[in-house]
Amino acid sequence: MATEAEANPPIEETSPTVKETNTIKNNHGKHRVLFWLTFIFLIIGLAWVLLWFFYLRFYEFTDDAYANGNLININSAVSGSVIAFYADDTDLVQEGQLLVSLDTTEYQIRYDGELASLASTVLQVRQLYEAVATNQANAESKRIAFGRAQYDYRNRSQLVGSLAISNEDYIHAQDSLSIADFELKQAESQLKAAQDAAGNTILVEHPLIEQQKARVREAYYNLKHCSIYAPSTGYVAQRSVDVGEWVAPNRALMAVIPKDYVWVDANYKETQLTYMRVGQQATVWFDLYGRKV
């Protein structure tokens, strides 16, 4: 049988010197980690201070900013039915590009009618000028007839006393003079009326023709404004027009934001404006694209 000493061998105890050595090693490792962390934070802090001192203090930043630009509303100058539109929201359009087309049937008919009326008015005015020439010839003829009647009357007035002519011939000569005088006055009155109707201008500047030319220009204006073009190069926004709609001049069809005239409205605090001056450069990042743009 085994003895008690053999069954329960004595346990060896670790010496205090070994425990203290392990504790010192662990503390030394912790101190080293703490040292390097402190060193790293100090380096980062120093770098931040240097960055602020040499760079960031000369710059201001805000994320309260918005892109802005002029908004050109596209309206129709005439009323009409929309038959087509050629641009939609976010489309880039060039200056002079066709945006919307209206039905031209009514305005084309009106324009053709005004042209025909202009031709008719020109003929009427030409007749007025020709009437002046006709009345001038008639007045000249009546003036000659009056002179002849006046000559005959004077001769007979000298002969009637000597009984060289009968009293009846004298009376006839007197009546002929009165008739010639009346016809001359009538011809001169007709000439005056014809001259007033023709006016004192050349044919193409006659008031009747000018009035009809204005109607033709108005009809042409309405016809041409059935096609609506882009007033500036830019991007389309707020399109509200559709095919088949009846539009009026006071309705906005769409808008164009000019491409070459946009800006950023940036809101800074008053304390950030100390060193800001007109003409300083700025860097802008858009949330839509991130800092790559």
Side-chain angles (χ1 to χ4, degrees):
M1 294 180 62
T3 63
E4 183 178 355
E6 293 175 348
N8 299 302
I11 300 173
E12 294 182 358
E13 295 182 359
T14 305
S15 64
T17 304
V18 174
K19 290 182 179 181
E20 291 176 358
T21 302
N22 292 336
T23 303
I24 292 173
K25 289 181 178 180
N26 291 336
N27 291 336
H28 181 72
K30 292 179 180 179
H31 290 164
R32 182 184 301 175
V33 172
L34 183 61
F35 170 79
W36 284 110
L37 287 176
T38 304
F39 180 75
I40 291 172
F41 282 122
L42 287 176
I43 292 299
I44 293 175
L46 180 61
W48 175 256
V49 170
L50 293 176
L51 180 64
W52 176 86
F53 184 80
F54 290 104
Y55 183 80
L56 292 180
R57 72 190 183 105
F58 300 108
Y59 291 85
E60 296 294 348
F61 173 81
T62 180
D63 57 0
D64 184 11
Y66 306 91
N68 208 338
N70 287 329
L71 193 67
I72 304 176
N73 289 318
I74 306 300
N75 300 323
S76 174
V78 296
S79 300
S81 177
V82 178
I83 60 175
F85 64 90
Y86 305 96
D88 207 343
D89 289 340
T90 72
D91 287 348
L92 175 63
V93 295
Q94 302 297 324
E95 182 178 355
Q97 179 177 335
L98 181 62
L99 299 179
V100 181
S101 292
L102 305 181
D103 186 11
T104 62
T105 303
E106 178 184 355
Y107 295 107
Q108 184 67 54
I109 293 174
R110 188 178 303 174
Y111 175 66
D112 294 339
E114 295 297 346
L115 280 180
S117 297
L118 177 60
S120 176
T121 302
V122 171
L123 290 177
Q124 293 176 5
V125 174
R126 186 178 294 277
Q127 290 175 354
L128 293 178
Y129 282 89
E130 292 175 352
V132 172
T134 300
N135 282 280
Q136 283 179 340
N138 182 54
E140 185 63 26
S141 175
K142 297 302 181 181
R143 193 172 294 108
I144 294 173
F146 174 76
R148 184 171 56 248
Q150 189 177 39
Y151 176 79
D152 291 342
Y153 172 74
R154 288 176 180 174
N155 286 339
R156 283 167 174 72
S157 296
Q158 295 176 359
L159 297 175
V160 68
S162 60
L163 300 177
I165 61 171
S166 64
N167 191 45
E168 183 179 0
D169 289 340
Y170 172 73
I171 294 175
H172 287 168
Q174 189 178 23
D175 292 340
S176 295
L177 178 61
S178 298
I179 293 173
D181 181 53
F182 173 77
E183 290 179 348
L184 175 60
K185 291 179 180 178
Q186 185 180 30
E188 290 177 344
S189 178
Q190 292 174 350
L191 175 60
K192 182 65 168 57
Q195 289 175 338
D196 291 341
N200 296 322
T201 62
I202 60 177
L203 186 143
V204 295
E205 295 179 357
H206 192 274
L208 293 178
I209 294 180
E210 290 292 337
Q211 185 178 18
Q212 188 56 39
K213 283 162 62 176
R215 294 194 181 102
V216 172
R217 283 192 291 267
E218 180 182 4
Y220 180 80
Y221 173 88
N222 293 335
L223 177 62
K224 288 303 178 182
H225 278 77
C226 288
S227 298
I228 303 172
Y229 299 91
S232 176
T233 299
Y235 291 92
V236 175
Q238 301 178 1
R239 181 192 66 81
S240 61
V241 63
D242 285 307
V243 174
E245 285 186 318
W246 183 268
V247 298
N250 59 348
R251 179 192 165 183
L253 307 180
M254 61 181 67
V256 173
I257 302 175
K259 176 183 177 182
D260 299 329
Y261 193 63
V262 293
W263 62 88
V264 172
D265 289 330
N267 300 308
Y268 290 93
K269 298 178 181 179
E270 292 183 358
T271 55
Q272 293 179 284
L273 303 178
T274 305
Y275 300 107
M276 286 192 183
R277 300 292 184 270
V278 175
Q280 291 176 335
Q281 293 185 352
T283 302
V284 182
W285 293 278
F286 290 90
D287 294 339
L288 179 64
Y289 305 107
R291 288 187 173 265
K292 294 182 179 180
V293 178

